[in-house]
């Protein structure tokens, strides 16, 4: 079983703590939604969990081993990471983009081995991109590009998938699709950690909520018990009203300051 | 065969044919039958000497230099993910030029044939070390800015050498050298640069896979296990060795490195690793053709190769900018 744990991680930049003694232990099968206001340190936490950013103090370990001691290629095989608004700089085909997810195991030169071709086909199918496989990625719409990037992350079948704002800029249909795919991936026994701003979607799909504000943990636990009006107030400084449960849970919020109210 | 393979095979064939032409073409056109006959009959013949001692080394040098310019251009466009990148970007060419100019300035170049190339190579290495030290730790943008700063410094040094030139002949010699040429180069120069071009070219050639991953941006590339520092080391020092050595013997030859990858992308696609080999071959072919052209086009003094490639390359640059402007939102 995959176990990824941040242990009292502090990240400081220019004397300011972006993350302040944050601990998070997660295992395969979980879908952790990291929530928090802009500048709370969500992206920093995800980058640290992915082993792409070295904590100032504290450490992150995978199955008990410090990420800093795991060779970057080994780590690349076990976890995939997608930053905010991932882009591709050259107009290569969707298929080639997805193949880049296999970089750690690609031969240095030459053609793709047949086994890899099959995995790419599966990833394209899983993300509903089969009819786009030879289209240039630069001509895809935002939703399609997000799917292509997800396919690129999933193609290596990583144990851990870390995604920074996977539904930012997506319309409701595509946002739902993306959340469904992430939840399904977690259900298949993998660990998914994603930062998410849409609290309703987080409430419906994530199995666990991890809340950050100003670099500190404000809440952590199973979605149903953790995502409460109090947590939302402490984290975002807004009044929340949470109704329904499980699949139909709904998070509504309004300003906690009377002066902000629309007339 | 893949599309890239077909394109490369076709280019190789064209190179072989053009190389044959370049052995026969020049101020004296050599009939192929005569060259063939003289090659197999004993005794020194004028035709044999012209081919083996003048035109063959020149053709080999054109192919080597053109190849590394094309390769380095493709690698640098991949590293910077910028279609306007070219081998001069890292300050290597300017450093090599400064090194060579210093030997001309002090009159060393006239005394030893290898002085200018050797100093040029030292200049290229010094420039790349400075670029690398300045850009270390930062991303690609820092590396480009460091290269620009080092280029500026070397250009200032060259201007200073021209300014303080002891006599008009020295200044003239420096200017001539800066224009870039393959004229009167012999096997000495080929042997001198060959090891550096091979080592540098190899360093550049192994970057393909990392360049592909880098098309996803630096963060994603790192998450895929790509060692960016290793990539930067290979790019900077591979360019320093290969392009530095080339510039050191031929002077500055522009635009081949910029143009070659662009000419190949419509045929082999935009994936950086797939552009490397075709761009290398295209660079070699372009420079060989340009060299033949400078030998055949005659109006007054010999047209310098560097000037010729710039004349042809600049309109291409214009076209590129216009196309980019159209593509911009």
């Amino acid at each position: 079983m995959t176990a990824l744990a941040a242990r009292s991680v502090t990240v400081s930049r220019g004397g300011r703590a972006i993350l302040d003694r944050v601990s998070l232990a997660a295992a395969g099968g979980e879908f952790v939604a990291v929530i928090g206001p802009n500048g709370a340190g969500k992206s920093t936490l995800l980058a640290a969990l992915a082993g792409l950013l070295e904590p100032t103090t504290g450490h992150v370990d995978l199955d008990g081993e410090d990420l800093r001691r795991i060779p970057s290629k080994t780590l690349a095989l076990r976890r995939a990471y997608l930053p905010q608004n991932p882009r591709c700089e050259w107009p290569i085909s969707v298929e080639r983009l997805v193949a880049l997810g296999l970089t750690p195991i690609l031969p240095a030169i030459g053609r793709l081995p047949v086994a890899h071709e099959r995995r790419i086909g599966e990833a394209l199918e899983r993300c509903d991109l089969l009819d786009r496989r030879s289209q240039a990625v630069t001509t895809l719409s935002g939703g399609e590009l997000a799917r292509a990037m997800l396919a690129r992350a999933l193609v290596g079948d990583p144990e851990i998938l870390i995604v920074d704002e996977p539904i930012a800029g997506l319309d409701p249909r595509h946002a739902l699709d993306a959340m469904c795919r992430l939840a399904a991936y977690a259900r298949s026994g993998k660990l998914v950690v994603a930062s998410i701003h849409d609290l309703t979607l987080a409430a419906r799909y994530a199995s666990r909520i991890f809340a950050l504000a100003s670099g500190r943990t404000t809440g952590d636990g199973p979605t149903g018990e953790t995502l409460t009006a109090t947590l939302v107030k402490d984290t975002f400084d807004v009044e929340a009203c949470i109704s329904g449960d499980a699949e139909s849970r709904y998070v509504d919020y309004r300003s906690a300051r009377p002066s902000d109210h629309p007339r | 065969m893949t599309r890239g393979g077909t394109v490369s095979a076709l280019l190789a064939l064209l190179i072989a044919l053009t190389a044959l032409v370049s052995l026969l073409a020049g101020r004296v056109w050599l009939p192929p039958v005569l060259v063939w006959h003289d090659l197999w009959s004993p005794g020194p013949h004028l035709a044999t000497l012209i081919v083996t001692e003048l035109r063959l080394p020149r053709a080999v040098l054109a192919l080597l230099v053109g190849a590394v310019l094309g390769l380095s251009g493709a690698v640098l466009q991949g590293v910077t993910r910028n279609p306007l990148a070219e081998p001069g970007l890292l300050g290597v060419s300017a450093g090599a030029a400064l090194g060579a100019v210093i030997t001309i300035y002090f009159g060393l170049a006239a005394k030893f044939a290898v002085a200018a190339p050797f100093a040029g190579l030292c200049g290229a290495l010094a420039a790349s070390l400075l670029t690398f030290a300045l850009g270390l730790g930062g991303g690609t943008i820092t590396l480009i800015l460091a290269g620009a700063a080092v280029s500026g410094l070397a250009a200032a040094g060259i201007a200073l050498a021209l300014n303080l030139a002891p006599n008009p002949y020295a200044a003239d010699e420096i200017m001539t050298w800066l224009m870039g040429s393959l004229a009167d180069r012999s096997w000495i120069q080929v042997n001198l640069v060959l090891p550096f071009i091979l080592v540098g070219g190899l360093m550049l050639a192994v970057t393909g896979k990392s360049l592909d991953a880098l098309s996803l941006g630096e963060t994603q590339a790192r998450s895929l296990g790509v060692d960016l520092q290793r990539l930067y080391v290979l790019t900077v020092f591979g360019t320093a060795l290969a392009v530095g050595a080339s510039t050191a013997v031929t002077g500055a030859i522009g635009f081949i490195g910029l143009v070659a990858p662009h000419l190949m992308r419509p045929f082999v696609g935009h994936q950086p690793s797939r552009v490397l080999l075709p761009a290398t071959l295209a660079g070699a072919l372009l420079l060989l053709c340009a060299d033949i052209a400078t030998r055949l086009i005659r109006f007054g003094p010999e047209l310098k190769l560097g000037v010729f490639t710039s004349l042809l390359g600049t309109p291409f640059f214009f076209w590129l900018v216009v196309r980019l402007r159209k593509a911009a939102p």
Side-chain angles (χ1 to χ4, degrees):
Chain A
M1 181 69 118
T2 318
L4 183 68
R7 306 204 188 274
S8 192
V9 166
T10 298
V11 175
S12 303
R13 285 268 170 74
R16 197 174 74 88
I18 297 168
L19 282 181
D20 190 2
R21 286 161 291 157
V22 171
S23 294
L24 163 65
E30 286 188 275
F31 178 3
V32 183
V34 177
I35 62 169
N38 300 127
K42 299 186 297 295
S43 296
T44 309
L45 174 64
L46 294 190
L49 284 172
L52 296 171
L53 187 147
E54 219 171 276
T56 315
T57 61
H59 58 96
V60 178
D61 47 44
L62 173 57
D63 294 339
E65 196 178 2
D66 194 327
L67 283 190
R68 279 171 288 199
R69 289 210 201 91
I70 303 178
S72 60
K73 281 210 177 109
T74 316
L75 189 59
L77 287 170
R78 299 189 63 187
R79 71 94 183 83
Y81 169 85
L82 285 179
Q84 274 177 46
N85 299 320
R87 282 184 45 204
C88 185
E89 312 264 358
W90 297 106
I92 59 175
S93 69
V94 171
E95 200 172 21
R96 296 255 169 88
L97 174 87
V98 174
L100 291 181
L102 297 172
T103 297
I105 52 169
L106 281 184
I109 44 170
R111 306 197 65 182
L112 274 178
V114 181
H116 294 179
E117 300 256 19
R118 204 179 51 239
R119 294 176 79 165
I120 293 164
E122 283 165 10
L124 287 170
E125 193 175 359
R126 199 190 278 182
C127 294
D128 200 13
L129 283 164
L130 278 176
D131 54 333
R132 302 266 179 222
R133 65 190 305 163
S134 43
Q135 191 176 333
V137 284
T138 41
T139 61
L140 295 176
S141 71
E144 288 163 347
L145 182 62
R147 289 212 304 270
M149 285 294 175
L150 189 62
R152 150 7 232 142
L154 295 180
V155 69
D157 205 23
E159 295 161 50
I160 302 166
L161 175 62
I162 297 173
V163 202
D164 203 349
E165 302 209 7
I167 55 172
L170 294 188
D171 62 50
R173 176 75 256 158
H174 287 111
L176 280 170
D177 281 350
M179 290 303 278
C180 275
R181 288 200 172 89
L182 293 176
Y185 197 63
R187 275 198 303 278
S188 70
K190 317 288 182 170
L191 169 60
V192 176
V193 184
S195 62
I196 284 160
H197 274 303
D198 188 316
L199 296 178
T200 300
L201 288 182
R204 288 185 190 174
Y205 289 95
S207 65
R208 178 170 164 189
I209 295 288
F210 189 87
L212 274 177
S214 309
R216 293 181 189 207
T217 316
T218 50
D220 176 20
T223 307
E225 299 146 39
T226 314
L227 191 63
T228 59
T230 324
L231 178 83
V232 175
K233 174 87 172 71
D234 290 349
T235 310
F236 293 96
D237 187 29
V238 294
E239 296 291 348
C241 173
I242 298 167
S243 53
D245 49 30
E247 294 287 283
S248 62
R249 202 177 281 121
Y250 184 77
V251 183
D252 190 17
Y253 50 82
R254 60 197 187 97
S255 177
R257 303 172 199 143
S259 60
D260 290 349
H261 288 176
R263 286 160 211 231
Chain B
M1 210 191 303
T2 61
R3 216 152 118 203
T6 317
V7 169
S8 298
L10 208 63
L11 281 170
L13 187 69
L14 278 173
I15 286 175
L17 292 175
T18 318
L20 276 179
V21 172
S22 91
L23 295 184
L24 306 175
R27 197 172 299 169
V28 185
W29 272 93
L30 300 173
V33 180
L34 174 73
V35 174
W36 185 256
H37 176 261
D38 283 2
L39 270 176
W40 302 113
S41 56
H45 299 281
L46 185 60
T48 321
L49 281 177
I50 290 178
V51 168
T52 59
E53 296 305 316
L54 292 176
R55 291 188 185 165
L56 192 57
R58 188 167 171 165
V60 169
L61 207 54
L63 289 174
L64 286 173
V65 172
V68 293
L69 288 175
L71 176 60
S72 165
V75 169
L76 282 166
Q77 288 176 8
V79 167
T80 59
R81 286 152 280 151
N82 187 324
L84 301 182
E86 50 102 27
L89 193 73
L90 299 170
V92 168
S93 308
L98 178 62
V101 163
I102 288 173
T103 62
I104 300 172
Y105 179 82
F106 287 109
L108 291 169
K111 288 188 191 122
F112 315 98
V114 295
F118 183 74
L121 195 58
C122 292
L125 285 173
S128 61
L129 276 173
L130 191 57
T131 301
F132 194 75
L134 272 173
L136 193 69
T140 312
I141 301 289
T142 330
L143 205 60
I144 298 173
L145 288 175
V150 172
S151 285
L153 181 67
I158 294 171
L160 183 69
L162 281 169
N163 187 173
L164 300 181
N167 55 61
Y169 301 109
D172 186 56
E173 208 181 330
I174 291 173
M175 285 307 293
T176 309
W177 190 87
L178 283 175
M179 281 186 239
S181 171
L182 284 169
D184 307 326
R185 303 305 194 266
S186 67
W187 289 113
I188 299 175
Q189 277 91 356
V190 174
N191 291 333
L192 186 72
V193 294
L194 189 62
F196 298 103
I197 284 182
L198 287 181
V199 173
L202 196 66
M203 287 171 77
L204 292 172
V206 297
T207 57
K209 209 173 107 175
S210 305
L211 294 180
D212 284 352
L214 196 60
S215 54
L216 295 169
E218 288 166 38
T219 324
Q220 283 202 74
R222 282 211 298 134
S223 83
L224 287 165
V226 171
D227 185 344
L228 289 182
Q229 286 307 318
R230 174 179 168 273
L231 175 64
Y232 294 151
V233 167
L234 287 173
T235 308
V236 173
F237 295 106
T239 303
L241 289 173
V243 177
S246 304
T247 312
V249 294
T250 63
I253 292 175
F255 294 98
I256 299 284
L258 174 77
V259 173
H262 283 284
L263 289 181
M264 289 301 110
R265 284 198 188 99
F267 302 107
V268 297
H270 286 74
Q271 194 169 351
S273 66
R274 287 173 190 245
V275 180
L276 297 189
L277 179 61
T280 309
L281 297 173
L285 183 61
L286 280 176
L287 195 60
L288 190 59
C289 290
D291 186 44
I292 295 174
T294 59
R295 275 184 269 167
L296 297 182
I297 302 170
R298 293 243 158 240
F299 29 73
E302 186 185 302
L303 188 56
K304 295 286 180 191
L305 184 59
V307 179
F308 184 67
T309 58
S310 299
L311 276 175
L312 286 188
T314 320
F316 180 83
F317 206 142
F318 285 157
W319 172 78
L320 205 59
V321 172
V322 169
R323 208 186 53 165
L324 283 176
R325 200 183 58 187
K326 272 190 196 142

